Structures are given as C-alpha cells and as structure tokens.
Amino acid sequence: MGDMSNSDFYAKNQRNEGNHAAGFGCSLMDLRSLMELRGTEAVVKLQEDYGGVEGLCKRLKTSPTEGLAGAQPDLDKRREIFGKNLIPPKKPKTFLQLVWEALQDVTLIILEIAALISLGLSFYHPPGESGGETCGAAAGGVEDEGEADAGWIEGAAILLSVVCVVLVTAFNDWSKEKQFRGLQSRIEQEQKFQVVRGSQVIQLPVADIVVGDIAQIKYGDLLPADGVLIQGNDLKIDESSLTGESDHVRKSADKDPMLLSGTHVMEGSGRMVVTAVGVNSQTGIIFTLLGAGTEEEEKKEKKGKIIKSFILAFYKLVPTDGAAGINAPGSASLINVKKQDGAAAMEMQPLKSAEGGEADEKERKKVSVSKKEKSVLQGKLTKLAVQIGKAGLLMSAITVIILVLYFAIDNFVMQKRPWMPECTPIYIQYFVKFFIIGVTVLVVAVPEGLPLAVTISLAYSVKKMMKDNNLVRHLDACETMGNATAICSDKTGTLTTNRMTAVQCYVGDVHYKEIPDPGVLPPKSLELLVNAISINSAYTTKILPPDKEGGLPKQVGNKTECGLLGLVLDLKRDYQPIRNQIPEEKLYKVYTFNSVRKSMSTVIKLPDGSFRMYSKGASEIVLKKCSHILNEVGESRVFRPRDKDEMVKKVIEPMACDGLRTICVAYRDFPSDPEPNWEDENNILSDLTAICVVGIEDPVRPEVPDAIQKCQRAGITVRMVTGDNINTARAIAIKCGIIHPGEDFLCIDGKEFNRRIRNEKGEVEQERIDKVWPKLRVLARSSPTDKHTLVKGIIDSTMADQRQVVAVTGDGTNDGPALKKADVGFAMGIAGTDVAKEASDIILTDDNFSSIVKAVMWGRNVYDSISKFLQFQLTVNVVAVIVAFTGACITQDSPLKAVQMLWVNLIMDTFASLALATEPPTESLLRRKPYGRNKPLISSTMTKNILGHGVYQLIIIFTLLFVGEQIFDIDSGRNAPLHSPPSEHYTIIFNTFVMMQLFNEINARKIHGERNVFDGIFRNPIFCSIVFGTFAVQIVIVQFGGKPFSCQPLDLEKWMWCVFLGLGELVWGQVIASIPNSRLRFLRRAGQLTQKDELPEEDVNEENEEIDHAERELRRGQILWFRGLNRIQTQIEVVNTFKSGTSFQGAGALRRQSSTTSQTQDVTNVSSPSHVSLSNVVSLSPSAHPPPPPPIHHPTLQSSHFCVLTDINVN
C-alpha cells in the first residue's frame, strides 16, 4: 500500500512529459536517460546532444557561475516538471494495524478464549427446577435469579480489560512510531547543502534543491541529487553504495562528469549542475523498484505471519532450550536460521576496509528489523523475562491442575455424586473458572511491561537528549552510553572551540610572538604570503561580518583556512580582490587536502606562461619538502637539513608547546616549457621555498575541563586522538585535564603507535595493543586507520575482566570506519561531514564534548530506570503469583479475581513503567563506575528489597485472607459458590494489595539502598500524577466497581485501615535499608549475562551483529585455546631453561602460522607475553605437544625476557 505513492509520483511525472517544451530545452526522460550513461559515453552524448555542460545549463535556463535566480514561480515550475527532491516515505502503520498486532499476544488470546467460553456458558441453565440440587455443590449458594443472571459479567469484564490493555499497548507503539518519524525528519532536515543562487552561495535544506541548481560539492559531502560536473579539483567519489565498487572513482569534467545521488565525496571539490532529483535520481529509481518489491513480499509474508506468531509465542512461553529462550520474546531470530549459513560465511571475512562495509550495510539494513537483541540491556531483559515466564507458566499449570483435581475428588469421590449429562455445562463452567484463574496467574507472572518500560524509557530519554544537543539516531546507543568505559575524542572542535586565530608567525628569519605590523615585514614576502593564503584555500571558506554588533567575525568553511584568512585581514590586506582576479575556474591544478598528504597545493598560470604552485600544510611535513626559505629581505636562501632541525627546535616546538597548531606556507615556480607532469605528485611537491610558519590557536572550550573531570570521576577514560603535532596535542591535553603532570601515561604519535603495535611483518597484534592502550592518553599525528585500529584494539581486548565499551567522536569522512566500529559513534553536527553523520549513532548538534557527558548521564539513567521498574514489578509478580496460587489451592478460589488481577497488571506494567521510566537524571549518576556488560540487572540490594517487601505483603495478605473476617467482624468471603456476590472481605484484600503497591512504587524510586525515597519526587510530574491518578481510579473501582470488579463498597474506617497497611510499606522500606547486604550472602543476582550466556546469544544473532563483532565471537574460542596453549608452552620452556641453568634467546613469542587457522587473519599473531621472538616458529594445532627447548645462545640469563603466567585467564 505505502509504496503506491511512489508509482503515482512516477506516473504524474510521466504525464508531464508532453509539456516538455514548458520552456525547458530537455524533458525529464531526456535527463534520466542521460544520467544512466557513464564515462566517455556520457561525455560524447553531452557534447553531441547538448553542446557540453554549458549547453545543458542553457537548456535548463541556469548559469554555471551565478546559478538560478531563485524566483519562486520558476522554482515551483521546476518542481512541477522535474519533481521534488524527496523520496516519499512508506506509510506508517495505522492505529488499527497496531491494535491487531497487540492482539497477537498469546496470553491475551488465551484469556479472550477463556472469557468467551465463560460468557457462553453463563447463559446456560440446567433443565428442571431441581437442577440446583442435582448438580450438587456446583450450583450451591445461588441466592436468586438476579444473581445467577449476572454470571456473564465476569467474562465481559475480562474482555473489556483485554481491550484496555490492547489499546494502551497500541497507543504506546503508535506514539513511539510517531516519535521515531519525527526523529527521522529531524535528521533529514539537518542535512543542508551549498547551492549557488543569484551568484550567492547559500545553504539549502536538501529537499529544496531543484533541477538546474548549481551545487558546490566538497570533501565529505553526501550528494543529494544527480548532476553533471561543471568544474572539479582532484575530485574522487566513493560510488560503492550504488555500484558496489570499492575503489574511489576519479571525476573530471572532460573524462567522467556524471555524479550520482547517495554517493560520497572522498576527496576534492567542485561545482555541478543538478539534473535529476527525488524519485528520478539514480538512488530514487532504485528505491522505487525496492518499494514495489517489498510490497509483494509483504503480501506473501502476511500469510505466514500468523502461524509464525503462534510458533513464536509458544517459544516465548515454553523455551525449548537456552538459546531459543534467550532469544524468544520479540525477536524473529528463530526464523532467521535459513539465512544463518550465508551470513556466517560472509562474516568470516575480516573487515579489511571501510568500503567493504558498505555492501554489508545494505545487508544489515535488511536485517535491522529483527535487530532486537543488539543492546546489552535488552539481552539481559529478554533472558530475565523468559526465566520469569517459565516460572509463571509452571505455577499457573500447577494451580489449574490442583483446582480441577480438588473439585473432582471433592464432588465425585468424597460425595460420590454421579456425573449428570444436564450438569455438564455447569461443571465445564467451573473448569473454565479454574482455567481463568490459572491464566490470570500467568498474566500477572509474565512481565510484559519490561519491553514497554525499555521503550518508554529510551523514547523519553531520546526526546530529552534533543534538548541536551544529542540527536540520537539509534535508540540503543543511548543505553550503551551508560556503560561506556572509554571515550576517544577528536581535539579540534570537540575539546576546542573550533575558532582558529593566527597568534604567532615566523617570517623572514624572525619569530613574532604576536601578529606584526605589515610595515615590519619584507614587502616581497608579504605579497607572496597574502597571495598564497588567498588562492590556496577553498573559495567556499570566507570570513563574514559578525551577526551581532560587537560580536566576533563569522567563520565559514574550513576553520584552519579561516585562521589563515584572518591573518591576511590582520595584515591589513583583503583576500577577496585576489580571488576575483583569479576565479576558481582559472586555477590550473589543485591538490586538495587529504589525510595522506596532510597538505594542500594550488597551481596557477602566471601571465608569462610559467606556473606557480602555492602549498600549505602541517609544518613538519611541508618543511621536509622545502629546500629554500625567504630571508629577512624576502630573497630566497638555501635551507639545509641543519637549518630545518634548528627551526623545529627554535620555532615549531615552542609554538606547539603553547598549544598552537603550526602551518607552513610555501611556494614553487615551474617553467612553462617543458610543462611539468602534474600527475607525478612526489616530484611536484618537493624543492619548495618556505614563506612563513604560522601558529594558529584554537582555544579549549571553557566547559571541557569540568566535563572531562566528571568523566574521570565516573570511571571513564578520555583519550585524545588528533591529527595535530604531538606537542600541540600534549599542551591541549594538559589544559583539558586529560593528562596531569607527574602521572604515568603515554603520549605518542601515529608512527610510534604503529611501531609498537605491529610485528616485523607489519601486522597488528592484539597482545601488543594490550601493552599500549591502557596507558595511552594522547595519540597525535594519527591517521584514520590508526583511530580505527585503536578502537578495535580496545574493544577486542580481553585484558580486563569486563569488555571495554568505547565511544568515539569523529567529523571527517575518513572517521567513518572508526565510528562504525565503536560501540557508540558521535558525529559532529556542525563540523561533521555527511559521511561521518551517516556512520554515527548520535549526532552532537553543538559539537561540544560536554554534551557527551550528558549522554553518559542519560544512558546511566535509562539503566537505573529499568532497574527501578524491575524492582517494583518483580515484587508485585512474586506476591500476586503466590497469593493466587496458595489462595486457589487452599480456598478453591483466587482471592484476587481475574479482572482485579488485570487491573493490578495494568498498574504494574503500563503505569509504573511510565512513572519510573521517566525519572530525570541527576548528577549523582556520574559519581559511580560504569556497570559493565556482565553486571546483573538485579543487584543484591534490589534482591533484598524485592524479597523484603514480598515478605511484608504476603504476611499482610494471608493474615487478612484467613483471619480478616474476625479482625473486621465481617462475613468470610472464602469458599463462596460460583456466582455469589462480591464480599467485603475479599474487597479489603484487593484494596490493601493495591495500596501496598502504590506506596511500594515510591520505595522503588531508589535502588542503591538510599534512605530518602522522596528525594526529588516533585521534579517528576509524571510520577506524581500517575500515583494520584491510580489512587483515584482505585477509589472509583472499589466504591462503584460492583460485580464486574467483584468489589463491595467499603466505609471510611476500612479505607483508613487499607491505606494504613499500605503506608507500612514505607516504614518497612527503611527497616530493609538498615540490613547490610553482607549479612545476606544467599542473595543471587538475576538477569546476569554471564560470558557463557553471552556467546550463544551473540551466535544466534550473529547476522544482526556488526560483521567483525560476530566474527570475533566465532573466533574467541579458538583464540583463547591458542593463547592458553601458547602460555603453557612458554612456561614449560621457561622451566626447562631454568633447569638447564643457562639462558636462551627469548621464551617463545610463538606465532600461529596462518595455515592453522586461515580465517583468523584478524587476530593472527597473538604473541605470548614475552618481548622476544623464537628462532624456530612452531606451528600449533590444538593437540600440539610442547616443543623441546630452543637452542641456547646466550651466556647470561636475563630474567626480564620471561613472563611466567600461571593463571590462564580464559574469559
């Protein structure tokens, strides 16, 4: 259904074909067929049919330099003829569909059936007047006709309460869906694009782009529409999302000018004319085809769905074994087995590159529907729900069996009554009543509120996190953040303000500590410097006048370039006239900045035909390529290696130690004849003449040091990973408080990092990384690969008993792999490229590190909210199940009736999850260590609370049940016949039960054994309104509920007693808090994901996991096996060597050869703890025997070579 809109869209566009004259020189179909061509074919077609790109622009009535005029009627006309730039989304599920889905719950289905049978039978009366006596006790106690006629009420009330539960569930799903769509549209609105309109460069939301727009594209963009390149500099595009080709495609106006929507700009910049938008772009066409496909699939699926949901529901209640059980509720993994083999095969290949991930991402998107198990919390909750469900099922079965047997034995054996055919319906009615009691026990036992609580808590947090500048793209990222143990942060823009200002410079052999007066500088040097900066920077980078009077000038574009342009303005010059004189089209060749070059160069043709290249970049890199430098009068002199070293010591290091980023500006002249080979980059970018070195300051954000201190207090290690010089990085790290002088930590650069973690073959070894990362605090001059390696190394490490949970921030295109690999990836909303945002889980809309700390706080809050809810719900569960069970067994009737149970279930599940899941976070959350992945959901304190309150409630209820009638001097409600009216006795029990739950809900607000349970209660209006609301409804139910709720109105005194017994909960809570946990050794923590459980769970869902994560889990066994063997061997060698009394060179850095396990490429070379390598590498197999000690070379015994590990820690 949802995708019909696509085809309508399509048909409408085709109808517009006819009026293609409509003033434009080409129709929609012409442009579509043009965009299907590639390479030279496209160039020829453009040339022949349109007269090149200029001709195309003419036909589309746009100017290649000035863009569209931007008049509204013109834009509307373009949208009408060529379509809008949006792909219509699938229709959301209607409320009725959601209701239907909520009805699929198996416990509800059982209840409905039971209620219908009960309804049907209640209208049947046994024939004959004497029916009452003949059927014996069965019909005993029916007082009058009116009462007997009311038998249908119970069935109807159960149906009504089922309807309530279904509507509430459906409404929750609906609001969740609505929020999610709001979030999606917010993410889409965030994406803006630079377009030239009326010769002004403006930022437009992607949806507003029309055919004929001139778009400016740059490094890191995700192209929003199809287009033809007008002019490009060194442009490389990653088209893997469309073609699956992982190599970057080089684009140029004369060879391959076709740019497609949905592809990523990996290098360079340029301008394109938009030729196709929305459903007519290449991505749109694919989406349309996909849409039609999914529709047919859905029809097929629907048939299988009902059967599937029954099977699933069956699994949910009767898990066949651990694996199915862990997985059951709410996950379709049982049915995914078909795909398993293919997935496993695919996952065995290690992720070599970021591009490899692209195709897999499509796979992953398909699977993401059933991706319920990804988050740790949901894994734990599912497991817990299954354990409770099993217990509930058992209890309810036993209840029904005991009731039926008791009835049968009492009637047919003890009183020897015959089974009379006409009484059959009455007997059946009894059995149905017993069955309903059993099902009610089950309903109360199964905590279906758990998934609801998680959803509410996450949805609420996500909404609130928006205000804290966190735009959450994946719900579970929010909860994972609470477990984070490490944050790898960028420096620029995250820890610093990203407002670059030039504060020092070195020109003409003089180091100026502040920007000098232009008169002091040699005029020639000044001229070259101003030209070099103005021309050799992206023309999209500008400094605009401030928005507010007296504010700072606005920096647009690349911030480092803004700092340099600021230097030009400080030297009382202007860059704009120079750019106007040499517009972008006249630039002869541009080598754009990328992470490999770490520099940018631009070549221009001088009036005499010769060429000049301006270059700028990281000072130590550019200076290495300089052979000359301008002296104090602006003349070039030779720059020897000795001078370079001196310059580094005297100029660059002092600047870097002040926390400045150092940029070197240089130039080189080339003759016109012969023209240099511009593709031979190494020769071109050498033999430069240095003009000046600029020190650019990027001040630390004022709120960062405090935020980092909070992180450290919360047990989170902050590491800085930056492309800057090591001295700059260290200075900033000290200012931020990441490192404190005198501590034992590592600050290294990318080169040293790679030297330490790679073996002689250049392969990364986990054991080597394990020696580096725990102390590493600053990684400078790092490449994106280093960042990815570090993140992967920390995540894969098995050193600590807990697996590290790593958050990473990134803004560049090349940060994509690291963001994807991390447990939580943060992309920068302002400075981040589209590629980074696409790979991330959370977008920081203000690019600020302190927002990450807020995310940690919210994440921990989600965890605590769920625990609060669990503590409350399990208390109710335990009590209600035991009461219903023992009551039924002793008095043949549950003291809490089915409808009352459903009301209690509603309070417990829906309302309590709303009340407890919406607690706002407090600073105190940041004063404790992270929970870790295998911490149990229910801590010993919580177990103590659950058992303690359970005992109190059971004592009260059983006292009321068995001696209540004497205490209150009322009729006993026990052993009442089938359709007897409600008794005051049972009403008091029900009312007291609900009162105790209400007050216990207040106790549940604290789970770490705090005394003051009212602390901050008024900060949560939802909680207060729910508690008061429930109280009000309870009064209505008791006083006016009558027969449907089996309630008899109570007088004030009895009400006061009920409330008083409820209040006892608060006092009892204080008593429990006084008992130290250490006394209660027997408390077992539940819901714990032990390592053992975690593995099968990850295996069952391996296809839903990240590729390399699943692969790691598959391999973990092998790795541990080898590592264990390795260590044993090392020890045996060490022992043998000591016995022989001499030394040998190095006890076994035994490396597994690839032949043993070719697929463990990722983690080959798990070397043993010693630092030296064996001369004879031993190939191990699981049954390998310890090899003989190696030949002895060394006369002295250096014990430092050995690391004897007696405990092989296999976790």
Side-chain angles (χ1 to χ4, degrees), residues 492-564:
T492 312
T494 314
L495 300 172
T496 58
T497 54
N498 205 9
R499 248 204 96 77
M500 306 277 188
T501 31
V503 289
Q504 297 186 14
C505 63
Y506 177 89
V507 189
D509 291 344
V510 186
H511 184 178
Y512 298 96
K513 291 286 185 174
E514 48 209 39
I515 301 302
D517 195 80
V520 195
L521 302 178
K524 198 173 165 195
S525 302
L526 181 60
E527 197 53 41
L528 273 167
L529 177 61
V530 172
N531 275 330
I533 293 175
S534 308
I535 295 169
N536 184 30
S537 55
Y539 278 30
T540 48
T541 303
K542 300 188 184 68
I543 292 185
L544 303 177
D547 289 339
K548 293 196 279 288
E549 275 295 308
L552 292 165
K554 212 162 107 184
Q555 298 188 339
V556 181
N558 181 309
K559 297 297 190 272
T560 311
E561 289 181 350
C562 286
L564 290 170

Side-chain angles (χ1 to χ4, degrees), residues 691-825:
I691 305 172
C692 108
V693 173
V694 185
I696 294 184
E697 181 182 41
D698 184 8
V700 171
R701 286 175 180 264
E703 61 278 5
V704 161
D706 186 40
I708 285 182
Q709 199 183 355
K710 279 183 191 162
C711 279
Q712 289 163 343
R713 231 182 324 181
I716 301 169
T717 313
V718 182
R719 295 181 174 83
M720 182 161 102
V721 183
T722 172
D724 250 347
N725 172 318
I726 182 136
N727 296 324
T728 311
R730 188 185 289 121
I732 299 274
I734 290 174
K735 281 184 191 165
C736 293
I738 291 178
I739 54 182
H740 304 286
E743 278 182 357
D744 178 21
F745 54 77
L746 274 179
C747 282
I748 52 178
D749 59 11
K751 238 187 214 147
E752 172 65 11
F753 175 68
N754 278 303
R755 196 187 61 69
R756 291 190 182 201
I757 63 167
R758 294 177 188 275
N759 61 11
E760 300 79 73
K761 294 183 195 155
E763 293 158 330
V764 178
E765 290 189 4
Q766 185 61 46
E767 297 241 336
R768 288 175 182 238
I769 295 185
D770 285 349
K771 287 185 189 133
V772 176
W773 73 258
K775 286 186 180 175
L776 181 69
R777 290 293 174 275
V778 176
L779 180 56
R781 280 278 175 254
S782 65
S783 68
T785 330
D786 296 340
K787 194 172 187 174
H788 181 256
T789 310
L790 175 66
V791 172
K792 188 173 183 325
I794 298 179
I795 290 179
D796 289 357
S797 172
T798 49
M799 281 177 66
D801 47 352
Q802 294 283 3
R803 145 152 143 57
Q804 296 278 311
V805 177
V806 184
V808 170
T809 68
D811 53 6
T813 303
N814 38 28
D815 289 329
L819 288 170
K820 268 209 176 88
K821 177 72 207 165
D823 295 290
V824 181

Side-chain angles (χ1 to χ4, degrees), residues 927-945:
R927 293 195 201 111
R928 56 173 177 73
K929 299 278 177 272
Y931 277 147
R933 290 177 78 90
N934 13 7
K935 160 150 190 326
L937 263 182
I938 303 175
S939 62
S940 42
T941 313
M942 286 167 63
T943 315
K944 179 179 78 178
N945 290 341

Side-chain angles (χ1 to χ4, degrees), residues 122-123 125 142-152 429 979:
S122 65
F123 295 119
H125 295 299
V142 175
E143 275 123 29
D144 56 30
E145 280 308 299
E147 270 309 329
D149 290 346
W152 60 273
Q429 217 168 327
H979 295 307

Side-chain angles (χ1 to χ4, degrees), residues 1002-1023:
I1002 298 175
N1003 276 331
R1005 290 184 65 246
K1006 301 292 176 206
I1007 49 171
H1008 297 298
E1010 296 93 330
R1011 288 261 175 213
N1012 182 4
V1013 287
F1014 292 101
D1015 179 34
I1017 194 166
F1018 294 113
R1019 281 219 321 271
N1020 186 357
I1022 301 180
F1023 183 87

